Amino acid sequence: MEKSEAIAYTMTGGSGLHSYSKNSNFQMKSIGAAKELINKSIAEKLDVNIFSSSNTLRLADLGCAAGPNTFAAVQNIIDALEIKCRSEGKISQPPEFQVFFNDQASNDFNQLFTTLPPERRYFASGVPGSFYGRLFPRASLHFVHASHSLQMLSTVPKEVTDRKSPAWNKGRIHYSNSTNEVVKAYEAQYAKDMENFLKARAEEIVQGGLLAFVIPGRPSGAPHSEAFGNRTAELLGSCLIDMVDKGKISSENVDSFNLPAYYASPQDVEAVVKRNGYFSIETIEHLPQQMPRSKEFASALRAGMGGTLKKQFGEEILDEFFDLLYKKFEENLSFIFESGKAISLFVLLKRIVTE
Amino acid sequence: MEKSEAIAYTMTGGSGLHSYSKNSNFQMKSIGAAKELINKSIAEKLDVNIFSSSNTLRLADLGCAAGPNTFAAVQNIIDALEIKCRSEGKISQPPEFQVFFNDQASNDFNQLFTTLPPERRYFASGVPGSFYGRLFPRASLHFVHASHSLQMLSTVPKEVTDRKSPAWNKGRIHYSNSTNEVVKAYEAQYAKDMENFLKARAEEIVQGGLLAFVIPGRPSGAPHSEAFGNRTAELLGSCLIDMVDKGKISSENVDSFNLPAYYASPQDVEAVVKRNGYFSIETIEHLPQQMPRSKEFASALRAGMGGTLKKQFGEEILDEFFDLLYKKFEENLSFIFESGKAISLFVLLKRIVTE
């Protein structure tokens, strides 16, 4: 029923030193920054009639990882929905909430489930699978949320690792300083993935329901090379090249490795939403990112990418690689994290009422 | 929102030598035996009008463990529901299925999620928590199934491990050959747990929805001591006493250990269902169990109880204990597994329509 999961970027599970659950403070700040926008969205844009018949509100957090950020995000949404329901006074019985925590099947759901907030006021469930395919029944969700997950592509575009393709991305692991062919391959993959994402969500979200997501992106009109995410990717790439120069890994291994991530602009988002046709764009806002501390950011990257790098290059390089990354990041912070260019996008879409 | 999970009897996770996923063939036979009864239940007892409005059928399997048995059980149910929907011809669009796999939060959901059948025709989700409390929104489920899970109590009755109580169960780990006080404590715990179970399900299951469960039990009118489950428990207890005699474990450790399981008769079930008042009893049938091979049964017990015994008595005794159990089981098989007394109960309840 679901698309095959290509190279899933699964966050490091458990609760150990390099785990996502202990190293996701960077992403947490973004959830804090989005909180007011979510409150406003629910207060102003949500019509409570969409759930007055069932009296159960169904929420999903897509790309939830293993916690704890997802718990804070979900609690924000529920608090806002409760206020909305009370203020409208239309609801005879207080609604019940069912929350679906979604991530790849390889995500550490055991960690997620054993650390659920004991005092939660919702029924929790976990949904394994790629959000680029269907995950839920037709018209079953009222509010869908995704934070820092939709920048991950379903897969690396095939041609960029194909030596015979004009889009072969030799010596690089990302697109922002690559040839036009490579950039186009990434843009096409993003468009295709978002097409699948919106098609699936259009079926799953009730008419009038909301879809809110936060993605690390780039400002309107900004070139790819200015995005914080892309500058970080370039830095990662340069650390890998350094490791090649030191003889720690092979250049072929770097050539065959690319990051399946894309940092969108508001125009990118508008284009895919319009092409899909089932959602109205209610809000697209720039959310300034807070400059992370270098150590914190390197740890967050290790929690997010450690597993993938281990698979590609072997566990023995990890400590050295992330030490190097930390140092380079520290040295280049003001370039990588350029004020006004290091932004996230907060996007709010509403499922159009068609019948 | 959920009851605290006392000593959860969590099946051994993963896919290793002693895992539930590799040692649950014994329970699987029971799912096979129940298949025809489930088909008949759905064909004859289910009114498809209960889901014609939403067009999504929601199923739950309570106490699903880490697979694979739950996948077979769920597929049986979906096959039968699809036949029913087609035969009635009332459904304009083929229904979509959402399946909730439930078990304690300590269950190995990672194993469950990574081994979901790739060709499944349903949306899968996992729900962590005790089924003795609420797990789902009001009136959200159409068919609830539980196989070999409802014999597990939420907890060992407190008084049986209390040295000062008249119900102290000294030197024994179960109730069937114990004093009247111990038996009464177990019976009361069963009644209380089932009261909570049915209260929660009455809220969650739509009016007209079905609740089917299979429990290892005992025939109508049979004393506790005749149940296959109780005879097995007595055997376990005698192996522990042998380990005490050999100086491998302390008698205090055995005194403080009791099994949180109860083997019900049809009368027990009828009494709790009537007291609850929200379900009609559609079927209670004896399902003859097939005599297990000793090795298979000892392995199934290890997968089910290994973790608990390890916690109470230490890992180092496990191999010796289960070798001993296997030998005793082999020697006493015809007594323990007495034909006509070793039965499961298949119970089908329907949520009464009250409005």
Side-chain angles (χ1 to χ4, degrees):
Chain A
M1 208 141 196
E2 284 152 20
K3 290 180 58 180
S4 68
E5 300 184 7
I7 38 149
Y9 258 60
T10 306
M11 303 294 111
T12 302
S15 57
L17 182 63
H18 300 302
S19 66
Y20 177 85
S21 64
K22 289 278 162 66
N23 293 286
S24 47
N25 194 39
F26 174 69
Q27 294 90 328
M28 184 63 199
K29 283 178 190 157
S30 174
I31 287 173
K35 183 174 174 171
E36 285 313 307
L37 289 167
I38 297 255
N39 290 349
K40 216 176 137 202
S41 303
I42 289 171
E44 294 173 10
K45 308 281 188 180
L46 192 69
D47 177 358
V48 293
N49 288 323
I50 65 168
F51 48 76
S52 58
S53 70
S54 86
N55 213 13
T56 293
L57 287 181
R58 293 194 169 84
L59 277 61
D61 189 34
L62 307 181
C64 63
N69 292 353
T70 184
F71 304 136
V74 159
Q75 197 52 57
N76 285 353
I77 296 166
I78 289 181
D79 289 345
L81 286 169
E82 285 185 328
I83 290 168
K84 173 75 172 177
C85 289
R86 275 199 300 272
S87 73
E88 299 267 327
K90 279 188 191 167
I91 310 291
S92 54
Q93 225 176 348
E96 292 187 330
F97 295 95
Q98 188 170 33
V99 176
F100 296 94
F101 295 97
N102 157 259
D103 210 313
Q104 308 270 9
S106 51
N107 182 52
D108 192 349
F109 282 96
N110 289 349
Q111 168 73 15
L112 183 84
F113 284 171
T114 50
T115 56
L116 279 162
E119 298 306 312
R120 65 192 179 279
R121 300 189 305 279
Y122 54 85
F123 299 108
S125 66
V127 173
S130 163
F131 50 56
Y132 291 118
R134 284 286 301 279
L135 294 165
F136 303 96
R138 280 189 289 269
S140 65
L141 298 173
H142 301 93
F143 195 102
V144 172
H145 177 262
S147 183
H148 279 77
S149 50
L150 267 175
Q151 78 278 14
M152 300 311 297
L153 299 171
S154 70
T155 180
V156 170
K158 267 198 200 106
E159 50 274 54
V160 305
T161 54
D162 175 3
R163 293 174 166 272
K164 293 174 189 153
S165 165
W168 184 36
N169 198 19
K170 180 173 168 48
R172 299 201 162 271
I173 63 162
H174 213 211
Y175 59 93
S176 55
N177 287 332
S178 299
T179 63
N180 234 331
E181 283 85 357
V182 174
V183 175
K184 282 206 182 323
Y186 267 90
E187 287 173 342
Q189 186 67 47
Y190 173 75
K192 189 180 152 197
D193 281 344
M194 283 303 288
E195 191 181 316
N196 288 329
F197 178 81
L198 291 172
K199 188 167 171 256
R201 301 298 89 71
E203 297 189 70
E204 295 164 357
I205 297 175
V206 299
Q207 301 196 359
L210 298 179
L211 166 58
F213 55 90
V214 176
I215 43 172
R218 62 190 207 282
S220 303
H224 290 301
S225 60
E226 284 189 359
F228 172 52
N230 284 322
R231 288 186 174 171
T232 304
E234 291 299 327
L235 197 74
L236 279 168
S238 84
C239 293
L240 286 173
I241 297 296
D242 289 354
M243 301 286 282
V244 171
D245 292 344
K246 287 184 186 174
K248 300 292 172 85
I249 55 178
S250 75
S251 61
E252 289 74 22
N253 220 351
V254 175
D255 287 346
S256 68
F257 182 70
N258 276 258
L259 294 174
Y262 182 86
Y263 299 98
S265 70
Q267 288 97 325
D268 287 335
V269 173
E270 281 161 15
V272 293
V273 173
K274 279 182 188 152
R275 216 165 37 245
N276 168 267
Y278 283 97
F279 292 93
S280 58
I281 297 175
E282 303 290 326
T283 314
I284 300 188
E285 287 204 25
H286 289 187
L287 224 54
Q289 295 190 315
Q290 277 188 287
M291 190 183 287
R293 288 177 295 118
S294 306
K295 198 78 196 167
E296 176 185 271
F297 192 66
S299 301
L301 281 175
R302 182 163 190 164
M305 302 192 42
T308 310
L309 291 170
K310 180 172 146 186
K311 233 183 250 170
Q312 178 80 8
F313 300 107
E315 183 160 19
E316 61 284 0
I317 72 138
L318 289 187
D319 285 338
E320 188 176 347
F321 176 82
F322 282 102
D323 277 350
L324 187 61
L325 180 72
Y326 164 63
K327 277 179 206 130
K328 281 208 179 194
F329 191 76
E330 186 103 319
E331 285 160 21
N332 296 283
L333 189 55
S334 60
F335 169 70
I336 293 170
F337 195 95
E338 198 176 340
S339 186
K341 292 178 179 169
I343 60 146
S344 293
L345 302 178
F346 173 84
V347 179
L348 180 73
L349 307 181
K350 187 190 266 199
R351 175 66 170 81
I352 290 171
V353 179
T354 56
E355 288 152 21
Chain B
M1 208 140 196
E2 284 152 18
K3 291 181 58 181
S4 67
E5 301 186 4
I7 36 149
Y9 259 60
T10 306
M11 303 294 110
T12 302
S15 57
L17 182 64
H18 301 303
S19 66
Y20 177 83
S21 64
K22 289 278 162 68
N23 294 285
S24 47
N25 193 39
F26 174 68
Q27 293 91 328
M28 184 62 199
K29 284 179 189 158
S30 174
I31 287 173
K35 184 175 173 171
E36 285 313 307
L37 289 167
I38 297 253
N39 290 349
K40 214 176 138 203
S41 303
I42 289 171
E44 295 173 9
K45 309 280 187 179
L46 192 70
D47 178 358
V48 293
N49 288 322
I50 64 169
F51 48 78
S52 58
S53 69
S54 84
N55 214 14
T56 294
L57 287 181
R58 293 194 170 83
L59 277 62
D61 189 35
L62 307 180
C64 62
N69 292 353
T70 186
F71 304 137
V74 159
Q75 197 51 57
N76 284 352
I77 296 166
I78 288 181
D79 289 344
L81 287 168
E82 285 186 328
I83 290 169
K84 173 77 171 176
C85 288
R86 275 201 299 273
S87 73
E88 300 266 327
K90 279 188 192 166
I91 310 292
S92 54
Q93 224 176 349
E96 291 187 331
F97 295 94
Q98 188 169 33
V99 176
F100 297 94
F101 295 97
N102 157 259
D103 210 312
Q104 308 270 7
S106 51
N107 182 51
D108 191 349
F109 282 96
N110 288 350
Q111 167 74 13
L112 183 84
F113 284 172
T114 50
T115 55
L116 279 163
E119 296 306 313
R120 64 192 180 279
R121 302 188 304 279
Y122 53 85
F123 299 108
S125 66
V127 173
S130 164
F131 50 56
Y132 292 118
R134 283 286 300 279
L135 295 166
F136 303 96
R138 279 189 289 268
S140 64
L141 298 173
H142 300 93
F143 195 103
V144 172
H145 176 261
S147 182
H148 279 78
S149 50
L150 267 174
Q151 79 277 14
M152 300 311 297
L153 299 171
S154 70
T155 180
V156 170
K158 267 197 200 108
E159 49 274 53
V160 305
T161 55
D162 175 3
R163 293 175 165 272
K164 291 172 190 155
S165 164
W168 184 35
N169 199 19
K170 180 174 167 47
R172 299 200 162 272
I173 64 163
H174 212 212
Y175 59 92
S176 56
N177 288 331
S178 298
T179 63
N180 234 331
E181 284 83 357
V182 174
V183 175
K184 281 205 182 324
Y186 267 91
E187 287 174 343
Q189 187 65 48
Y190 172 76
K192 189 180 153 198
D193 281 344
M194 282 303 288
E195 191 181 315
N196 288 329
F197 177 82
L198 291 172
K199 189 166 170 257
R201 300 297 90 72
E203 297 190 71
E204 295 164 356
I205 298 175
V206 299
Q207 299 196 1
L210 298 180
L211 167 56
F213 56 90
V214 175
I215 43 172
R218 62 190 207 282
S220 303
H224 290 300
S225 59
E226 285 188 0
F228 172 53
N230 283 322
R231 288 185 175 172
T232 304
E234 291 298 327
L235 196 74
L236 279 167
S238 83
C239 292
L240 286 172
I241 297 298
D242 289 354
M243 301 285 283
V244 171
D245 292 343
K246 287 183 186 174
K248 300 292 172 84
I249 56 177
S250 75
S251 62
E252 289 75 20
N253 220 351
V254 175
D255 287 346
S256 68
F257 181 72
N258 277 257
L259 294 174
Y262 183 85
Y263 300 97
S265 69
Q267 287 99 323
D268 288 334
V269 173
E270 281 161 14
V272 293
V273 173
K274 279 182 187 152
R275 214 163 42 244
N276 168 269
Y278 284 96
F279 292 93
S280 58
I281 297 174
E282 303 290 326
T283 313
I284 301 188
E285 286 204 25
H286 291 186
L287 224 52
Q289 296 189 313
Q290 276 189 286
M291 188 182 289
R293 287 177 296 120
S294 306
K295 198 79 197 169
E296 175 185 271
F297 192 67
S299 300
L301 282 174
R302 182 162 190 165
M305 302 193 43
T308 311
L309 291 170
K310 179 173 148 186
K311 233 183 252 170
Q312 178 81 6
F313 301 105
E315 183 162 19
E316 60 285 0
I317 71 138
L318 289 188
D319 284 338
E320 188 176 347
F321 176 82
F322 282 102
D323 277 350
L324 188 59
L325 180 72
Y326 164 63
K327 278 180 205 128
K328 281 208 181 194
F329 190 77
E330 185 104 318
E331 286 160 18
N332 296 282
L333 189 54
S334 61
F335 169 70
I336 293 170
F337 194 95
E338 198 176 338
S339 184
K341 291 175 179 170
I343 60 146
S344 292
L345 301 178
F346 173 84
V347 179
L348 179 74
L349 308 180
K350 187 190 267 198
R351 176 66 170 82
I352 290 170
V353 179
T354 57
E355 287 153 21

